[in-house]
Amino acid sequence: MTNNRYDVIIIGTGAGGGTLAYNLAPSGKRILILERGDYVPREKANWDPQVVNVDAHYNAKESWLDKDGKDLHPHTNYYVGGNTKFYGAALFRLRKEDFGELRHHGGISPAWPISYDDLESYYTQAEKLCRVHGNRGEDPTEPAASSPYPWPAVSHEPRIQQLSDDFARSGLKPFHVPVGVMLDEKNPHKSRCIRCNTCDGFACLVGAKSDAQVVCIDEAIKHSNVTLLTNSLVKRLETDSSGREVKSVVVERNGSLETYSADVVVVSCGAINSAALLLRSANDKHPRGLANSSDVVGRHYMGHTNSVMMAISKCPNPTIFQKTLGVNDFYFGSKDFEYPMGHISFVGKLDAITLKAGAPAIAPNFTLELMAKHSLDFWLTSEDLPDPNNRITIGRDGKIVMTYTPNNLKAHEQLKSKLKQAMKQTNCTMHGQECHQGLFGRNLYVGQQIPLAGVAHQNGTIRFGHDPKTSVLDVNCKAHDVDNLYVVDGSFFPSSAAVNPALTIMANALRVGDHLMKRLGVSETTYAQNRQQDQELAVSR
């Protein structure tokens, strides 16, 4: 039993758990990382759209339930690195205003218990860790930053540059999307990233995307004090007799149950599975679920309102790496719609095979193949608002039950309208205004009724705050009810904003990591020396 005792146990290896493990690794403390899945196998299928997008080969092989008891098949991934293995690596800071109370058409987006300034330095650290490429000052809604992006923005390919120029001429302020890829455009022969068309939605076969496995877990486990156990599903957390401390973590591994313990236990399974774990860990002291005296665990689920819109033009779009352009002019509203609308950018370039999995209406005289060759593939994100009735619960058979009713939809419809209007203002030098053939929605649904991005951007189920009656976690993401339990995935969000949550999850994990090092009594000198050794070794490699 002695060997199963650790200083810290981290459950999950995604944006939160992976980043925390990276941050704590030089501390010298004995750290155990538990991952329910394994590494994504490196194989040619990683880059095969039929295998990835149509067959859903890498998706979790499980079903959840909707509120009516019907099966749902989540688009989520259980691997080292979590969902970051398949994300598009668009790494945005939340806007400064997102941390305060905002009035939306559909209601109020609540204030956070911390401000943007509390997180700014950690955003900077996270951007450096993830090699984020971008240009400060282009995005009109971008908050102030203490340093430039660590790498220059990924350049637009000609068709995207043409669109950017068209948008600028129409009065918009297009910008380069901040992207976490290991690309060196000045030295392409040395660049790990080859700027391929299988980044967004695919695992990177050459390890050139800044996912949590590559930049965090792989680095953390180089330390002898850090242990990673894969294929290790945490079944429940057990407390001592007082209910104030997690005394054991029960793990199903290799067909049998194992028990581990630690001074600090950190949950980072994703907002849905983290809530499910706490609910499954109910006991006499925590009858509604672990750390759930507030009855907030599982509630206020958010995942954004998202759409993929294909703009079809007579001009072809031979772009390979498309995810470089963004528009935030309507993020906080416009003259004719005073409420926040959201964010416009791109998904990875769609192909005919992928379109078959969720085929949109066919443009006149266009086959799916022609549509793919002539499409500009937009990604639109609007904020959904926290609703206590949008929640994660556990059914009688132990399955996750997801109850979700979309809200704030008027804002998303307005955002679509703004994009349609912007596209009508573009003027092709070859075809004039006749180049634009229309805007078509691509089906976002996989299986039955869970929107694809509704799971990818999951947050809000274990919110943090000052009041134990209305929140589960304090401002350091420690449970109000349990003295050694922390949560560092997107569960802690009180609101969802309208940009990808990944960088905010990473920045917060770094912030919580600093708090934990103080709690664990880690010497700043020892930590700095160990981190310096890490950097020197990285340079020598």
Side-chain angles (χ1 to χ4, degrees), residues 303-308 379-382 412 416 442 444-445 451-455 457 498:
H304 291 149
T305 300
N306 298 280
S307 293
V308 171
W379 175 265
L380 282 68
T381 297
S382 298
H412 196 64
K416 288 182 182 179
R442 183 200 167 212
L444 277 180
Y445 294 85
L452 172 67
V455 178
H457 291 188

Side-chain angles (χ1 to χ4, degrees), residues 80-138:
V80 178
N83 282 320
T84 67
K85 289 302 298 181
F86 294 85
Y87 76 160
L91 294 171
F92 285 92
R93 300 180 178 206
L94 265 61
R95 315 294 89 173
K96 184 169 185 174
E97 295 86 343
D98 286 326
F99 289 85
E101 183 177 287
L102 282 173
R103 181 172 295 277
H104 287 252
H105 183 271
I108 298 295
S109 177
W112 288 40
I114 61 173
S115 70
Y116 169 77
D117 293 338
D118 293 323
L119 214 53
E120 196 283 325
S121 65
Y122 295 105
Y123 272 131
T124 298
Q125 292 177 41
E127 287 167 346
K128 184 177 180 180
L129 173 64
C130 292
R131 287 81 157 174
V132 177
H133 294 59
N135 285 340
R136 297 277 187 227
E138 291 183 334

Side-chain angles (χ1 to χ4, degrees), residues 298-365:
R299 294 187 183 273
H300 307 104
Y301 171 79
M302 296 167 285
H304 291 149
T305 300
N306 298 280
S307 293
V308 171
M309 304 294 291
M310 300 176 61
I312 309 298
S313 303
K314 288 182 180 179
C315 282
N317 178 17
T319 303
I320 296 173
F321 191 96
Q322 184 173 248
K323 203 176 176 80
T324 60
L325 177 66
V327 172
N328 274 342
D329 293 72
F330 314 111
Y331 194 93
F332 292 116
S334 63
K335 291 181 179 179
D336 58 349
F337 188 79
E338 61 180 323
Y339 302 102
M341 285 178 261
H343 165 74
I344 299 171
S345 59
F346 278 84
V347 293
K349 187 70 193 78
L350 297 177
D351 54 59
I353 293 174
T354 301
L355 289 181
K356 290 176 184 176
I362 302 295
N365 303 317

Side-chain angles (χ1 to χ4, degrees), residues 168-185:
R169 276 192 292 269
S170 71
L172 298 176
K173 298 180 178 64
F175 62 91
H176 290 80
V177 168
V179 183
V181 290
M182 300 173 198
L183 175 67
D184 187 347
E185 294 192 75

Side-chain angles (χ1 to χ4, degrees), residues 28-214:
K29 296 296 181 179
R30 197 159 179 252
I31 300 167
L32 174 64
I33 309 168
L34 296 168
E35 168 55 51
R36 68 182 294 172
D38 208 330
Y39 286 87
V40 176
R42 295 191 69 208
E43 54 195 3
K44 287 183 68 176
N46 290 172
W47 283 351
D48 187 330
Q50 174 69 37
V51 173
V52 174
N53 295 321
V54 180
D55 301 338
H57 175 71
Y58 298 105
N59 285 7
K61 305 300 187 287
E62 68 177 9
S63 64
W64 300 343
L65 300 173
D66 68 10
K67 61 182 179 181
D68 298 318
K70 296 179 181 178
D71 280 345
L72 297 171
H73 302 284
H75 188 280
T76 193
N77 308 279
Y78 298 144
Y79 293 101
V80 178
N83 282 320
T84 67
K85 289 302 298 181
F86 294 85
Y87 76 160
L91 294 171
F92 285 92
R93 300 180 178 206
L94 265 61
R95 315 294 89 173
K96 184 169 185 174
E97 295 86 343
D98 286 326
F99 289 85
E101 183 177 287
L102 282 173
R103 181 172 295 277
H104 287 252
H105 183 271
I108 298 295
S109 177
W112 288 40
I114 61 173
S115 70
Y116 169 77
D117 293 338
D118 293 323
L119 214 53
E120 196 283 325
S121 65
Y122 295 105
Y123 272 131
T124 298
Q125 292 177 41
E127 287 167 346
K128 184 177 180 180
L129 173 64
C130 292
R131 287 81 157 174
V132 177
H133 294 59
N135 285 340
R136 297 277 187 227
E138 291 183 334
D139 180 349
T141 67
E142 181 184 47
S146 55
S147 66
Y149 282 108
W151 285 83
V154 178
S155 64
H156 298 317
E157 293 177 44
R159 181 68 181 91
I160 303 302
Q161 184 63 58
Q162 176 191 347
L163 180 65
S164 179
D165 294 341
D166 284 344
F167 280 166
R169 276 192 292 269
S170 71
L172 298 176
K173 298 180 178 64
F175 62 91
H176 290 80
V177 168
V179 183
V181 290
M182 300 173 198
L183 175 67
D184 187 347
E185 294 192 75
K186 292 183 178 180
N187 299 287
H189 61 291
K190 292 183 178 180
S191 175
R192 187 188 299 189
C193 174
I194 59 174
R195 195 175 177 135
C196 70
N197 63 346
T198 50
C199 187
D200 192 4
F202 296 79
C204 183
L205 188 56
V206 296
K209 181 163 59 177
S210 296
D211 62 56
Q213 177 224 312
V214 172

